[in-house]
Amino acid sequence: MRPDTPAAHATEAERLLRTAAQYPGDREPLYLQAAAHLELAGDRQAATALYDTLLSAAPANPLLIRSLKAANLWEYGHEAEARAIIEGVRSARPTDATPWEIAAETLEAHDELEAAEQTLTEAAALLVTSAELPHATQSLLMTRHRIRRMLALEHDDWDAQADRLHTGAVPLDELHDPKRLWSLGSEDPAELQAEIDRLRSELGTYRTALSRPFPVAVLHWPEPELDELLAAYPELEAEYPTYRAHLTDIEASLRELAQAGTPNLGIVRATVPSYEAFAASESTRPSNADLLPQYATTLAARGKATAWPPAGGEACWCGRKRTYGECHGAE
């Protein structure tokens, strides 16, 4: 169950920090998740301390961390410092859209709409170089479209591109109409139904965006790891009777999920040491089979998943020296 109280968020932050101590290689994303939970718990000073700890250790994504720190600082009265950090992020001209978008949304949250629009326009000029855009850049264009709609600015080419990228049933102009929330106070059933349809479309867009970084993933134990796992925890033999059956089950499970319409499927590679550490962090034994799907989800949330299915000419996910089309893709 997701945390929904300050105390639950604080507890989840502590769990993530313990996990980070066990997985030093995943320290940065785990610290960022912990900082987010601390913010939701209302402990913004502790969240700032985590951001500072990351920034002191040559992180992989310093501009992302700085933008998150600025957003947090502004929320508890450090406006001048937050503004200075945002200006620093803009001056650094990130090649990833996410720091730009966080900076702009921070400005927007404090009624700095013009500055937010300028920030996103700078980002679009730098990042929008083709029709095929990564998801983060598409999200940036959507945010820019919304803010420009609130400023009553005329559509430009990037707004038109955002319109083309939007796949919802309700047009983007309607979703971003500043007046649409007013209709929630209407007594006209037709107007209320229209607003419900718009909100459902917007919720669908958010759900799609949220699903992308955390794919539905299936565990793959390489053969030496599976042998070690079953030698240490024979109780799991019911889950993995043989290595060949394990590989067959992976492909069958993923195909079943795909046929059911589940998007963004992936495979995560398991190891015994990381599984044992995860079990310890959850205060349970590795022989508990119910822990396996939680372990897969956690690995996927850390960005460890490989997208499935591979293209037919790419190497098969199982690790054999054959293409997917010649191996499990042919089954």
Side-chain angles (χ1 to χ4, degrees), residues 22-65:
Q22 295 166 342
Y23 298 93
D26 296 321
R27 180 170 176 264
E28 186 170 326
L30 290 169
Y31 266 44
L32 289 178
Q33 291 180 53
H37 282 289
L38 288 171
E39 291 185 28
L40 291 168
D43 195 350
R44 293 191 173 275
Q45 290 183 334
T48 296
L50 278 186
Y51 294 134
D52 286 338
T53 299
L54 284 173
L55 289 168
S56 68
N61 298 293
L63 295 176
L64 169 63
I65 298 167

mmCIF file of all heavy atoms in Angstrom, residues 22-65:
data_model
loop_
_atom_site.group_PDB
_atom_site.id
_atom_site.type_symbol
_atom_site.label_atom_id
_atom_site.label_comp_id
_atom_site.label_asym_id
_atom_site.label_seq_id
_atom_site.Cartn_x
_atom_site.Cartn_y
_atom_site.Cartn_z
ATOM 1 N N GLN A 22 22.560 -0.594 1.651
ATOM 2 C CA GLN A 22 22.857 -1.955 1.203
ATOM 3 C C GLN A 22 23.210 -2.008 -0.274
ATOM 4 O O GLN A 22 23.880 -2.938 -0.721
ATOM 5 C CB GLN A 22 21.637 -2.845 1.475
ATOM 6 C CG GLN A 22 21.337 -2.992 2.961
ATOM 7 C CD GLN A 22 19.963 -3.570 3.220
ATOM 8 O OE1 GLN A 22 19.108 -3.554 2.343
ATOM 9 N NE2 GLN A 22 19.747 -4.089 4.411
ATOM 10 N N TYR A 23 22.757 -1.022 -1.044
ATOM 11 C CA TYR A 23 22.999 -0.983 -2.489
ATOM 12 C C TYR A 23 23.674 0.341 -2.848
ATOM 13 O O TYR A 23 23.032 1.246 -3.391
ATOM 14 C CB TYR A 23 21.686 -1.099 -3.264
ATOM 15 C CG TYR A 23 20.933 -2.378 -3.062
ATOM 16 C CD1 TYR A 23 19.944 -2.468 -2.086
ATOM 17 C CD2 TYR A 23 21.192 -3.501 -3.837
ATOM 18 C CE1 TYR A 23 19.240 -3.644 -1.893
ATOM 19 C CE2 TYR A 23 20.490 -4.673 -3.652
ATOM 20 C CZ TYR A 23 19.515 -4.743 -2.675
ATOM 21 O OH TYR A 23 18.822 -5.906 -2.488
ATOM 22 N N PRO A 24 24.950 0.501 -2.555
ATOM 23 C CA PRO A 24 25.614 1.788 -2.827
ATOM 24 C C PRO A 24 25.531 2.219 -4.288
ATOM 25 O O PRO A 24 25.476 3.417 -4.578
ATOM 26 C CB PRO A 24 27.066 1.520 -2.409
ATOM 27 C CG PRO A 24 26.990 0.373 -1.462
ATOM 28 C CD PRO A 24 25.846 -0.470 -1.921
ATOM 29 N N GLY A 25 25.469 1.267 -5.200
ATOM 30 C CA GLY A 25 25.384 1.620 -6.612
ATOM 31 C C GLY A 25 24.077 2.278 -6.990
ATOM 32 O O GLY A 25 23.991 2.962 -8.012
ATOM 33 N N ASP A 26 23.042 2.067 -6.177
ATOM 34 C CA ASP A 26 21.718 2.660 -6.438
ATOM 35 C C ASP A 26 21.421 3.811 -5.478
ATOM 36 O O ASP A 26 20.271 4.218 -5.327
ATOM 37 C CB ASP A 26 20.628 1.590 -6.293
ATOM 38 C CG ASP A 26 20.766 0.497 -7.328
ATOM 39 O OD1 ASP A 26 21.095 0.819 -8.481
ATOM 40 O OD2 ASP A 26 20.552 -0.682 -6.985
ATOM 41 N N ARG A 27 22.449 4.336 -4.852
ATOM 42 C CA ARG A 27 22.264 5.339 -3.802
ATOM 43 C C ARG A 27 21.527 6.578 -4.307
ATOM 44 O O ARG A 27 20.597 7.068 -3.650
ATOM 45 C CB ARG A 27 23.638 5.732 -3.260
ATOM 46 C CG ARG A 27 23.641 6.780 -2.146
ATOM 47 C CD ARG A 27 25.054 6.858 -1.582
ATOM 48 N NE ARG A 27 25.213 7.889 -0.587
ATOM 49 C CZ ARG A 27 25.678 9.104 -0.839
ATOM 50 N NH1 ARG A 27 26.010 9.436 -2.083
ATOM 51 N NH2 ARG A 27 25.820 9.997 0.127
ATOM 52 N N GLU A 28 21.911 7.075 -5.479
ATOM 53 C CA GLU A 28 21.320 8.332 -5.953
ATOM 54 C C GLU A 28 19.811 8.234 -6.171
ATOM 55 O O GLU A 28 19.060 9.042 -5.601
ATOM 56 C CB GLU A 28 22.027 8.800 -7.229
ATOM 57 C CG GLU A 28 21.575 10.168 -7.699
ATOM 58 C CD GLU A 28 22.456 10.708 -8.813
ATOM 59 O OE1 GLU A 28 23.678 10.425 -8.797
ATOM 60 O OE2 GLU A 28 21.929 11.411 -9.684
ATOM 61 N N PRO A 29 19.291 7.271 -6.963
ATOM 62 C CA PRO A 29 17.837 7.227 -7.136
ATOM 63 C C PRO A 29 17.096 6.923 -5.844
ATOM 64 O O PRO A 29 15.991 7.436 -5.623
ATOM 65 C CB PRO A 29 17.623 6.119 -8.180
ATOM 66 C CG PRO A 29 18.882 5.324 -8.176
ATOM 67 C CD PRO A 29 19.968 6.273 -7.829
ATOM 68 N N LEU A 30 17.693 6.113 -4.966
ATOM 69 C CA LEU A 30 17.024 5.800 -3.702
ATOM 70 C C LEU A 30 16.975 7.021 -2.786
ATOM 71 O O LEU A 30 15.964 7.268 -2.108
ATOM 72 C CB LEU A 30 17.726 4.637 -3.009
ATOM 73 C CG LEU A 30 17.553 3.271 -3.689
ATOM 74 C CD1 LEU A 30 18.500 2.246 -3.090
ATOM 75 C CD2 LEU A 30 16.118 2.795 -3.581
ATOM 76 N N TYR A 31 18.044 7.804 -2.762
ATOM 77 C CA TYR A 31 18.044 9.044 -1.968
ATOM 78 C C TYR A 31 17.010 10.031 -2.511
ATOM 79 O O TYR A 31 16.348 10.727 -1.724
ATOM 80 C CB TYR A 31 19.432 9.682 -1.994
ATOM 81 C CG TYR A 31 20.316 9.299 -0.820
ATOM 82 C CD1 TYR A 31 20.385 7.977 -0.375
ATOM 83 C CD2 TYR A 31 21.093 10.246 -0.163
ATOM 84 C CE1 TYR A 31 21.193 7.630 0.688
ATOM 85 C CE2 TYR A 31 21.905 9.907 0.908
ATOM 86 C CZ TYR A 31 21.958 8.597 1.334
ATOM 87 O OH TYR A 31 22.755 8.256 2.396
ATOM 88 N N LEU A 32 16.891 10.108 -3.833
ATOM 89 C CA LEU A 32 15.903 11.027 -4.405
ATOM 90 C C LEU A 32 14.485 10.605 -4.024
ATOM 91 O O LEU A 32 13.632 11.460 -3.713
ATOM 92 C CB LEU A 32 16.061 11.086 -5.923
ATOM 93 C CG LEU A 32 17.315 11.809 -6.434
ATOM 94 C CD1 LEU A 32 17.377 11.740 -7.946
ATOM 95 C CD2 LEU A 32 17.336 13.257 -5.975
ATOM 96 N N GLN A 33 14.204 9.299 -4.047
ATOM 97 C CA GLN A 33 12.888 8.837 -3.616
ATOM 98 C C GLN A 33 12.665 9.130 -2.136
ATOM 99 O O GLN A 33 11.573 9.549 -1.728
ATOM 100 C CB GLN A 33 12.754 7.336 -3.872
ATOM 101 C CG GLN A 33 12.683 6.953 -5.348
ATOM 102 C CD GLN A 33 12.554 5.452 -5.522
ATOM 103 O OE1 GLN A 33 11.674 4.825 -4.954
ATOM 104 N NE2 GLN A 33 13.433 4.872 -6.313
ATOM 105 N N ALA A 34 13.704 8.926 -1.336
ATOM 106 C CA ALA A 34 13.584 9.204 0.096
ATOM 107 C C ALA A 34 13.327 10.686 0.344
ATOM 108 O O ALA A 34 12.506 11.053 1.197
ATOM 109 C CB ALA A 34 14.847 8.753 0.821
ATOM 110 N N ALA A 35 14.011 11.545 -0.397
ATOM 111 C CA ALA A 35 13.804 12.991 -0.235
ATOM 112 C C ALA A 35 12.378 13.376 -0.585
ATOM 113 O O ALA A 35 11.762 14.216 0.088
ATOM 114 C CB ALA A 35 14.795 13.760 -1.104
ATOM 115 N N ALA A 36 11.830 12.760 -1.633
ATOM 116 C CA ALA A 36 10.439 13.049 -2.009
ATOM 117 C C ALA A 36 9.486 12.661 -0.888
ATOM 118 O O ALA A 36 8.533 13.399 -0.577
ATOM 119 C CB ALA A 36 10.088 12.311 -3.295
ATOM 120 N N HIS A 37 9.735 11.510 -0.248
ATOM 121 C CA HIS A 37 8.870 11.096 0.863
ATOM 122 C C HIS A 37 9.036 12.030 2.067
ATOM 123 O O HIS A 37 8.054 12.315 2.771
ATOM 124 C CB HIS A 37 9.179 9.657 1.259
ATOM 125 C CG HIS A 37 8.577 8.646 0.335
ATOM 126 N ND1 HIS A 37 7.219 8.387 0.288
ATOM 127 C CD2 HIS A 37 9.138 7.833 -0.598
ATOM 128 C CE1 HIS A 37 6.969 7.463 -0.616
ATOM 129 N NE2 HIS A 37 8.110 7.111 -1.169
ATOM 130 N N LEU A 38 10.249 12.507 2.313
ATOM 131 C CA LEU A 38 10.447 13.449 3.413
ATOM 132 C C LEU A 38 9.697 14.755 3.157
ATOM 133 O O LEU A 38 9.133 15.345 4.085
ATOM 134 C CB LEU A 38 11.941 13.718 3.611
ATOM 135 C CG LEU A 38 12.740 12.561 4.217
ATOM 136 C CD1 LEU A 38 14.233 12.850 4.168
ATOM 137 C CD2 LEU A 38 12.297 12.306 5.665
ATOM 138 N N GLU A 39 9.690 15.199 1.914
ATOM 139 C CA GLU A 39 8.918 16.400 1.585
ATOM 140 C C GLU A 39 7.434 16.166 1.876
ATOM 141 O O GLU A 39 6.760 17.022 2.457
ATOM 142 C CB GLU A 39 9.124 16.787 0.122
ATOM 143 C CG GLU A 39 10.517 17.307 -0.195
ATOM 144 C CD GLU A 39 10.637 17.783 -1.631
ATOM 145 O OE1 GLU A 39 9.618 18.199 -2.201
ATOM 146 O OE2 GLU A 39 11.747 17.730 -2.180
ATOM 147 N N LEU A 40 6.922 15.003 1.473
ATOM 148 C CA LEU A 40 5.512 14.698 1.716
ATOM 149 C C LEU A 40 5.224 14.522 3.204
ATOM 150 O O LEU A 40 4.090 14.745 3.653
ATOM 151 C CB LEU A 40 5.120 13.430 0.950
ATOM 152 C CG LEU A 40 5.095 13.582 -0.574
ATOM 153 C CD1 LEU A 40 4.986 12.223 -1.241
ATOM 154 C CD2 LEU A 40 3.938 14.476 -1.014
ATOM 155 N N ALA A 41 6.240 14.141 3.961
ATOM 156 C CA ALA A 41 6.080 14.023 5.408
ATOM 157 C C ALA A 41 6.151 15.378 6.097
ATOM 158 O O ALA A 41 5.902 15.474 7.304
ATOM 159 C CB ALA A 41 7.152 13.097 5.981
ATOM 160 N N GLY A 42 6.520 16.431 5.336
ATOM 161 C CA GLY A 42 6.634 17.766 5.918
ATOM 162 C C GLY A 42 7.994 18.077 6.484
ATOM 163 O O GLY A 42 8.213 19.162 7.039
ATOM 164 N N ASP A 43 8.946 17.146 6.346
ATOM 165 C CA ASP A 43 10.300 17.370 6.879
ATOM 166 C C ASP A 43 11.194 17.892 5.754
ATOM 167 O O ASP A 43 12.082 17.186 5.258
ATOM 168 C CB ASP A 43 10.847 16.073 7.466
ATOM 169 C CG ASP A 43 12.072 16.302 8.346
ATOM 170 O OD1 ASP A 43 12.600 17.433 8.345
ATOM 171 O OD2 ASP A 43 12.503 15.345 9.030
ATOM 172 N N ARG A 44 10.955 19.132 5.369
ATOM 173 C CA ARG A 44 11.654 19.680 4.203
ATOM 174 C C ARG A 44 13.135 19.941 4.483
ATOM 175 O O ARG A 44 13.963 19.871 3.564
ATOM 176 C CB ARG A 44 10.947 20.938 3.719
ATOM 177 C CG ARG A 44 9.564 20.631 3.151
ATOM 178 C CD ARG A 44 8.948 21.803 2.427
ATOM 179 N NE ARG A 44 7.710 21.399 1.773
ATOM 180 C CZ ARG A 44 7.628 20.838 0.572
ATOM 181 N NH1 ARG A 44 8.748 20.619 -0.103
ATOM 182 N NH2 ARG A 44 6.477 20.494 0.048
ATOM 183 N N GLN A 45 13.489 20.240 5.722
ATOM 184 C CA GLN A 45 14.904 20.432 6.035
ATOM 185 C C GLN A 45 15.686 19.132 5.867
ATOM 186 O O GLN A 45 16.818 19.138 5.359
ATOM 187 C CB GLN A 45 15.053 20.974 7.455
ATOM 188 C CG GLN A 45 14.562 22.415 7.609
ATOM 189 C CD GLN A 45 14.788 22.954 8.997
ATOM 190 O OE1 GLN A 45 14.848 22.195 9.965
ATOM 191 N NE2 GLN A 45 14.899 24.270 9.105
ATOM 192 N N ALA A 46 15.097 18.025 6.275
ATOM 193 C CA ALA A 46 15.769 16.736 6.092
ATOM 194 C C ALA A 46 15.897 16.400 4.611
ATOM 195 O O ALA A 46 16.910 15.835 4.175
ATOM 196 C CB ALA A 46 14.993 15.634 6.817
ATOM 197 N N ALA A 47 14.884 16.760 3.817
ATOM 198 C CA ALA A 47 14.967 16.535 2.371
ATOM 199 C C ALA A 47 16.104 17.357 1.776
ATOM 200 O O ALA A 47 16.886 16.864 0.944
ATOM 201 C CB ALA A 47 13.643 16.899 1.706
ATOM 202 N N THR A 48 16.225 18.617 2.190
ATOM 203 C CA THR A 48 17.329 19.454 1.705
ATOM 204 C C THR A 48 18.671 18.841 2.075
ATOM 205 O O THR A 48 19.618 18.851 1.272
ATOM 206 C CB THR A 48 17.210 20.867 2.291
ATOM 207 O OG1 THR A 48 16.015 21.477 1.798
ATOM 208 C CG2 THR A 48 18.408 21.734 1.897
ATOM 209 N N ALA A 49 18.777 18.299 3.279
ATOM 210 C CA ALA A 49 20.035 17.667 3.699
ATOM 211 C C ALA A 49 20.391 16.497 2.794
ATOM 212 O O ALA A 49 21.572 16.297 2.455
ATOM 213 C CB ALA A 49 19.924 17.215 5.151
ATOM 214 N N LEU A 50 19.382 15.721 2.374
ATOM 215 C CA LEU A 50 19.650 14.612 1.458
ATOM 216 C C LEU A 50 20.134 15.118 0.103
ATOM 217 O O LEU A 50 21.070 14.563 -0.484
ATOM 218 C CB LEU A 50 18.392 13.760 1.271
ATOM 219 C CG LEU A 50 18.088 12.707 2.329
ATOM 220 C CD1 LEU A 50 16.895 11.876 1.898
ATOM 221 C CD2 LEU A 50 19.286 11.805 2.580
ATOM 222 N N TYR A 51 19.472 16.170 -0.408
ATOM 223 C CA TYR A 51 19.922 16.746 -1.680
ATOM 224 C C TYR A 51 21.369 17.226 -1.567
ATOM 225 O O TYR A 51 22.181 17.010 -2.476
ATOM 226 C CB TYR A 51 19.016 17.906 -2.100
ATOM 227 C CG TYR A 51 17.596 17.506 -2.445
ATOM 228 C CD1 TYR A 51 16.501 18.224 -1.953
ATOM 229 C CD2 TYR A 51 17.343 16.416 -3.265
ATOM 230 C CE1 TYR A 51 15.198 17.859 -2.269
ATOM 231 C CE2 TYR A 51 16.040 16.039 -3.590
ATOM 232 C CZ TYR A 51 14.973 16.772 -3.082
ATOM 233 O OH TYR A 51 13.693 16.411 -3.403
ATOM 234 N N ASP A 52 21.704 17.872 -0.448
ATOM 235 C CA ASP A 52 23.069 18.369 -0.261
ATOM 236 C C ASP A 52 24.069 17.222 -0.176
ATOM 237 O O ASP A 52 25.187 17.311 -0.702
ATOM 238 C CB ASP A 52 23.145 19.224 1.003
ATOM 239 C CG ASP A 52 22.487 20.591 0.832
ATOM 240 O OD1 ASP A 52 22.360 21.039 -0.332
ATOM 241 O OD2 ASP A 52 22.108 21.196 1.849
ATOM 242 N N THR A 53 23.672 16.142 0.474
ATOM 243 C CA THR A 53 24.552 14.972 0.559
ATOM 244 C C THR A 53 24.850 14.423 -0.830
ATOM 245 O O THR A 53 26.009 14.094 -1.149
ATOM 246 C CB THR A 53 23.895 13.878 1.421
ATOM 247 O OG1 THR A 53 23.685 14.381 2.745
ATOM 248 C CG2 THR A 53 24.772 12.639 1.489
ATOM 249 N N LEU A 54 23.841 14.334 -1.665
ATOM 250 C CA LEU A 54 24.047 13.852 -3.030
ATOM 251 C C LEU A 54 24.939 14.795 -3.822
ATOM 252 O O LEU A 54 25.848 14.361 -4.544
ATOM 253 C CB LEU A 54 22.696 13.692 -3.730
ATOM 254 C CG LEU A 54 21.858 12.476 -3.329
ATOM 255 C CD1 LEU A 54 20.481 12.557 -3.970
ATOM 256 C CD2 LEU A 54 22.548 11.185 -3.746
ATOM 257 N N LEU A 55 24.698 16.090 -3.695
ATOM 258 C CA LEU A 55 25.458 17.063 -4.476
ATOM 259 C C LEU A 55 26.924 17.119 -4.057
ATOM 260 O O LEU A 55 27.780 17.515 -4.854
ATOM 261 C CB LEU A 55 24.825 18.449 -4.348
ATOM 262 C CG LEU A 55 23.479 18.619 -5.057
ATOM 263 C CD1 LEU A 55 22.801 19.912 -4.626
ATOM 264 C CD2 LEU A 55 23.660 18.595 -6.569
ATOM 265 N N SER A 56 27.223 16.699 -2.856
ATOM 266 C CA SER A 56 28.615 16.725 -2.374
ATOM 267 C C SER A 56 29.421 15.534 -2.868
ATOM 268 O O SER A 56 30.623 15.458 -2.616
ATOM 269 C CB SER A 56 28.635 16.755 -0.843
ATOM 270 O OG SER A 56 28.165 15.526 -0.308
ATOM 271 N N ALA A 57 28.768 14.602 -3.563
ATOM 272 C CA ALA A 57 29.438 13.345 -3.927
ATOM 273 C C ALA A 57 29.467 13.098 -5.433
ATOM 274 O O ALA A 57 29.383 11.954 -5.872
ATOM 275 C CB ALA A 57 28.756 12.186 -3.222
ATOM 276 N N ALA A 58 29.584 14.139 -6.251
ATOM 277 C CA ALA A 58 29.674 14.002 -7.712
ATOM 278 C C ALA A 58 28.566 13.126 -8.268
ATOM 279 O O ALA A 58 28.818 12.050 -8.819
ATOM 280 C CB ALA A 58 31.047 13.456 -8.118
ATOM 281 N N PRO A 59 27.302 13.543 -8.149
ATOM 282 C CA PRO A 59 26.186 12.709 -8.606
ATOM 283 C C PRO A 59 26.119 12.613 -10.120
ATOM 284 O O PRO A 59 26.699 13.436 -10.850
ATOM 285 C CB PRO A 59 24.959 13.444 -8.055
ATOM 286 C CG PRO A 59 25.380 14.876 -7.999
ATOM 287 C CD PRO A 59 26.834 14.835 -7.608
ATOM 288 N N ALA A 60 25.367 11.626 -10.602
ATOM 289 C CA ALA A 60 25.206 11.450 -12.047
ATOM 290 C C ALA A 60 24.305 12.519 -12.649
ATOM 291 O O ALA A 60 24.473 12.896 -13.805
ATOM 292 C CB ALA A 60 24.624 10.061 -12.331
ATOM 293 N N ASN A 61 23.344 13.023 -11.856
ATOM 294 C CA ASN A 61 22.376 14.005 -12.373
ATOM 295 C C ASN A 61 22.328 15.243 -11.478
ATOM 296 O O ASN A 61 21.312 15.521 -10.834
ATOM 297 C CB ASN A 61 20.981 13.376 -12.446
ATOM 298 C CG ASN A 61 20.947 12.196 -13.399
ATOM 299 O OD1 ASN A 61 21.109 12.357 -14.596
ATOM 300 N ND2 ASN A 61 20.734 11.007 -12.842
ATOM 301 N N PRO A 62 23.406 16.026 -11.428
ATOM 302 C CA PRO A 62 23.436 17.155 -10.487
ATOM 303 C C PRO A 62 22.386 18.215 -10.773
ATOM 304 O O PRO A 62 21.839 18.812 -9.839
ATOM 305 C CB PRO A 62 24.857 17.716 -10.664
ATOM 306 C CG PRO A 62 25.297 17.244 -12.016
ATOM 307 C CD PRO A 62 24.660 15.911 -12.190
ATOM 308 N N LEU A 63 22.083 18.469 -12.052
ATOM 309 C CA LEU A 63 21.115 19.523 -12.353
ATOM 310 C C LEU A 63 19.696 19.103 -11.959
ATOM 311 O O LEU A 63 18.893 19.935 -11.520
ATOM 312 C CB LEU A 63 21.185 19.893 -13.834
ATOM 313 C CG LEU A 63 22.517 20.514 -14.266
ATOM 314 C CD1 LEU A 63 22.542 20.759 -15.764
ATOM 315 C CD2 LEU A 63 22.759 21.828 -13.522
ATOM 316 N N LEU A 64 19.385 17.828 -12.103
ATOM 317 C CA LEU A 64 18.097 17.338 -11.628
ATOM 318 C C LEU A 64 17.989 17.531 -10.115
ATOM 319 O O LEU A 64 16.972 18.015 -9.606
ATOM 320 C CB LEU A 64 17.945 15.855 -11.974
ATOM 321 C CG LEU A 64 16.762 15.122 -11.328
ATOM 322 C CD1 LEU A 64 15.445 15.717 -11.788
ATOM 323 C CD2 LEU A 64 16.827 13.634 -11.620
ATOM 324 N N ILE A 65 19.043 17.171 -9.392
ATOM 325 C CA ILE A 65 19.023 17.301 -7.932
ATOM 326 C C ILE A 65 18.905 18.767 -7.528
ATOM 327 O O ILE A 65 18.156 19.119 -6.604
ATOM 328 C CB ILE A 65 20.285 16.661 -7.328
ATOM 329 C CG1 ILE A 65 20.313 15.163 -7.652
ATOM 330 C CG2 ILE A 65 20.339 16.868 -5.823
ATOM 331 C CD1 ILE A 65 21.645 14.492 -7.370
#
